[in-house]
Amino acid sequence: MSDGMPGAVASPRAGAWSVGAALVAALALVGRAHDVASLPPLQDFDGPGHALNVVALHAGRLPDPGSWGGFHPPLYYALGALVWDLLPESVPVHVGLRAISLVAGVGLALWIWRALRRRASGEDALLVALLVFCTPVVVLATSMLGNEALCAFLVTGALARTLQPPPPERVLRHATGTGLWLASALLTKSTALAALPACALGYAAWLARRPRSTVAALALVVGLPLVAAAPHYVRLLEASGGNLLAVVSGGALSPAVRAEMRSQPPGERRLSDYVTLPAAAFLAPVYLAPGMTRSVPGLLYASTWADAHEHFLPASDPRVLAAEAALALGGLLPTGLALVGLARALRRPARHRELLASLLLAAGLLLALLRYTWLLPAYSAVKASYLLSAALPAAACLALGLEAVPARRRGWLRGALLALALACTLVTWRGWWEV
Amino acid sequence: MKRLLAVSALLCSACAQPEADPARVVTTYLRSLGGDPLRAIACVTATFPERTGLRLATSAEVLRWRERVREGAAAPAAPAPPATPPSPEEAQVSWLSVQVKPAFREALGRLRWQVSGERRDDDRHATVTATIEPEAAPPFQQVFQLTRQDGSGPWRIDRVEQIGVGEANLAEAFVTNPTEELRRRLAERLGVPAD
């Protein structure tokens, strides 16, 4: 990733790889647009809850914090209400809302490509960004209505700005821009809270020798989002009597959400749930498979490489389940490469200083999610989409891992990753099982 | 920020074209049911879903229900009313969720409807009648009572009454006006557990 690393050198077949990736990207985009239009109404993750927030804002009132999705910040829903008005009546409202997620998903992939292009070879940057776009967890989040894709796009926009030090004369302007990205993200989903300390650390690392600039930059990067989002979060805390869980879960304020969460298996968490990894995570990657609700890593992995919660793909069809298992097995390759990349980054942190903020964000999100799963021992609390804002660090680690492979063998890996992106696109193409 | 949010919300509501015509609201409602449920819920008052009595089943209840169906459990002879009425938010989520089912949309696809009459009682109350014509069942009438706040806001459906509904057109009556009572009658007729 750093200058002078082998990955930064273009391969002789760079053009061919780029053309292949561009073709798969075009197919993925068409497939995603098809999914956005063809998924039945409100079959999305918490679809009715998200939808009612849009209905409330469209009617000119703020969502009730005690409603199903009322704890979510309003930016996505306000955008949705505007899109509703712009749409012709012939286009269903939920399709317009999903289109926001799709645009955010394309933006997310473009951010990743742009950020990696400066550090890896052009074809690796394109390939990794494409694979992120095609990973089932991203496919699902960017085909459905909900605030996750938009939040991930905005957080990644802020994070990408911390990858390169700003010129000394533009530090404040740069920090203001980052603060505005973060403010938008925090007004979209509370997950963005984890990005505040991460981005602040990114600036502190770049500006360590300039304390005055550091203080000013930190004030902007952290202060702007907090000031912008404070009314929403203060409203939540007031409504919940200061219960911090209300910031991240509807279960604190909505009796219906609480009843649903309590009804879901496993019902209680044990420490062993965090270290067990059943074979079903790879061979039958759905939550009702044996051992899955009792395995946090298993369900996280399965919900990254398959539709583990069965919102999108009918796993009752054996062909669909087999195809999802193939993706879950194929996902072992990029997962392994990303772990190699992570090890490289951690072994030489000074050399990969630009990744500091991204890695910190990923760690923060993961720890927050683990805590959340402990507090809410329900299978729906274990979803990889909650980590979507860590797409950039995951992609950076994958690119680093790819670079660790000797150049003469990298062609095979690129081919395998491209084939995996294509397979993900085809398997998540809604309706193929009905043909 | 609260002010900004309120301004944004007002902007949205100003952009929205309130339906000036009660018959048009009913037309939009019937056209949007199942296929465009957000547009449909925007046609009804906030308290309308509560009156339907529909409630959400939790995941555990759904799994138990599937198990009972697999075991061939019979429907209860006299369906019991729900133990506790749903909360307003639960009712809204339920009203939207019931439209997610593919069978709901399929049943809607097998009927035609026609708005046949409109009567305005005053600035705040209107009645619209629609005739529902299923493909393979007797037709029935659906009478919509609409209200609007302060006599100038958008018309919204507040209550629905159905005339001519029997065993033969129960499914069609349910999909054009989903209520807990009709759901239970339908479950009983289909021989599946209602709870």
Side-chain angles (χ1 to χ4, degrees):
Chain A
M1 297 283 285
S2 305
D3 292 344
M5 290 188 72
V9 180
S11 76
R13 292 180 185 170
W17 285 119
S18 299
V19 169
L23 285 174
V24 176
L27 189 68
L29 204 54
V30 173
R32 204 69 48 91
H34 161 79
D35 291 348
V36 160
S38 67
L39 180 67
L42 305 185
Q43 204 171 302
D44 321 61
F45 290 140
D46 284 338
H50 287 300
L52 285 174
N53 286 354
V54 180
V55 171
L57 279 163
H58 190 256
R61 61 177 196 276
L62 287 173
D64 174 2
S67 65
W68 191 279
F71 72 101
H72 285 300
L75 185 59
Y76 169 80
Y77 310 106
L79 270 176
L82 283 175
V83 166
W84 184 337
D85 284 332
L86 295 173
L87 284 177
E89 263 196 50
S90 54
V91 180
V93 176
H94 60 268
V95 172
L97 301 181
R98 288 177 191 155
I100 300 175
S101 300
L102 171 57
V103 171
V106 172
L108 172 70
L110 288 175
W111 269 125
I112 290 171
W113 172 63
R114 189 166 173 258
L116 295 184
R117 206 176 44 160
R118 296 187 188 134
R119 290 159 185 82
S121 66
E123 65 269 29
D124 281 354
L126 188 58
L127 193 56
V128 171
L130 172 64
L131 186 58
V132 169
F133 186 65
C134 295
T135 303
V137 62
V138 177
V139 175
L140 269 57
T142 57
S143 306
M144 293 184 168
L145 64 90
N147 52 1
E148 272 165 354
L150 182 62
C151 178
F153 164 67
L154 293 167
V155 165
T156 303
L159 266 188
R161 295 171 68 85
T162 68
L163 290 177
Q164 215 169 13
E169 71 280 6
R170 296 182 63 185
V171 166
L172 293 185
R173 194 173 157 187
H174 196 272
T176 304
T178 307
L180 289 174
W181 276 94
L182 287 173
S184 306
L186 201 50
L187 279 167
T188 302
K189 197 168 181 357
S190 58
T191 319
L193 273 169
L196 266 58
C199 288
L201 192 76
Y203 275 89
W206 292 124
L207 303 170
R209 291 180 188 167
R210 302 171 58 206
R212 286 179 68 179
S213 295
T214 307
V215 171
L218 293 190
L220 288 166
V221 168
V222 177
L224 266 177
L226 287 181
V227 168
H232 168 74
Y233 291 99
V234 168
R235 182 169 172 251
L236 279 186
L237 291 174
E238 275 176 1
S240 66
N243 183 354
L244 284 174
L245 192 62
V247 172
V248 293
S249 170
L253 281 164
S254 160
V257 175
R258 203 159 42 239
E260 168 59 23
M261 296 299 262
R262 281 180 184 159
S263 85
Q264 289 183 10
E268 55 159 7
R269 281 273 168 235
R270 303 176 198 140
L271 285 176
S272 59
D273 293 355
Y274 295 87
V275 291
T276 52
L277 186 59
F282 311 101
L283 303 176
V286 289
Y287 76 100
L288 283 175
M292 286 296 277
T293 56
R294 274 263 162 242
S295 167
V296 173
L299 206 43
L300 274 181
Y301 182 85
S303 57
T304 303
W305 293 103
D307 176 21
H309 296 85
E310 295 189 49
H311 276 269
F312 197 78
L313 301 172
S316 52
D317 185 325
R319 296 168 303 165
V320 173
L321 189 60
E324 290 196 81
L327 294 189
L329 287 168
L332 284 169
L333 176 64
T335 306
L337 283 171
L339 289 174
V340 170
L342 177 64
R344 288 182 77 200
L346 294 178
R347 203 174 56 205
R348 293 185 175 176
R351 199 172 175 189
H352 302 290
R353 195 173 58 153
E354 77 278 8
L355 290 182
L356 193 66
S358 296
L359 293 177
L360 186 73
L361 169 76
L365 280 177
L366 186 61
L367 285 175
L369 179 61
L370 294 180
R371 174 77 179 137
Y372 180 68
T373 60
W374 183 263
L375 292 173
L376 295 171
Y379 69 81
S380 71
V382 189
K383 253 189 236 157
S385 59
Y386 292 142
L387 299 175
L388 209 61
S389 294
L392 179 58
C397 286
L398 176 55
L400 261 179
L402 199 53
E403 281 176 9
V405 178
R408 65 180 182 283
R409 289 184 190 162
R410 217 177 295 163
W412 289 102
L413 283 180
R414 285 183 181 137
L417 294 179
L418 190 60
L420 182 60
L422 179 62
C424 289
T425 299
L426 296 176
V427 171
T428 56
W429 196 297
R430 272 196 62 81
W432 62 264
W433 50 88
E434 289 164 1
V435 176
Chain B
M1 193 58 209
K2 262 183 181 169
R3 194 174 297 170
L4 185 64
L5 289 173
V7 169
S8 308
L10 277 175
L11 202 66
C12 288
S13 62
C15 290
Q17 295 293 315
E19 305 283 10
D21 179 359
R24 196 166 139 71
V25 175
V26 170
T27 303
T28 304
Y29 167 88
L30 287 170
R31 198 173 47 211
S32 307
L33 270 176
D36 192 357
L38 269 75
R39 228 180 270 285
I41 203 170
C43 293
V44 303
T45 59
T47 50
F48 177 88
E50 244 176 291
R51 285 197 204 100
T52 66
L54 289 168
R55 59 173 288 272
L56 277 178
T58 62
S59 294
E61 286 170 324
V62 171
L63 292 175
R64 264 201 308 274
W65 185 87
R66 280 187 197 165
E67 196 59 36
R68 288 176 65 196
V69 170
R70 246 198 311 272
E71 289 166 359
T84 50
S87 65
E89 63 130 342
E90 188 185 348
Q92 287 185 326
V93 175
S94 310
W95 194 80
L96 287 175
S97 298
V98 77
Q99 299 175 52
V100 172
K101 304 290 174 201
F104 189 96
R105 288 189 303 281
E106 284 162 18
L108 278 166
R110 289 193 299 269
L111 54 82
R112 287 181 304 161
W113 47 265
Q114 197 179 350
V115 174
S116 49
E118 177 189 319
R119 192 189 73 223
R120 291 198 197 197
D121 300 324
D122 52 43
D123 278 351
R124 294 165 189 245
H125 301 93
T127 305
V128 174
T129 307
T131 306
I132 314 291
E133 296 168 354
E135 263 175 19
F140 60 95
Q141 282 201 320
Q142 195 150 306
V143 181
F144 295 87
Q145 289 176 24
L146 294 95
T147 61
R148 62 174 173 178
Q149 285 183 335
D150 63 39
S152 60
W155 288 100
R156 294 288 176 255
I157 297 164
D158 194 43
R159 286 170 198 274
V160 172
E161 189 189 344
Q162 293 175 313
I163 301 165
V165 171
E167 290 303 301
N169 53 16
L170 207 53
E172 290 77 10
F174 176 71
V175 296
T176 49
N177 180 36
T179 65
E180 177 64 12
E181 187 201 337
L182 287 173
R183 189 191 73 78
R184 285 178 171 272
R185 282 175 63 188
L186 204 52
E188 190 180 15
R189 201 189 80 184
L190 295 173
V192 292
D195 295 304

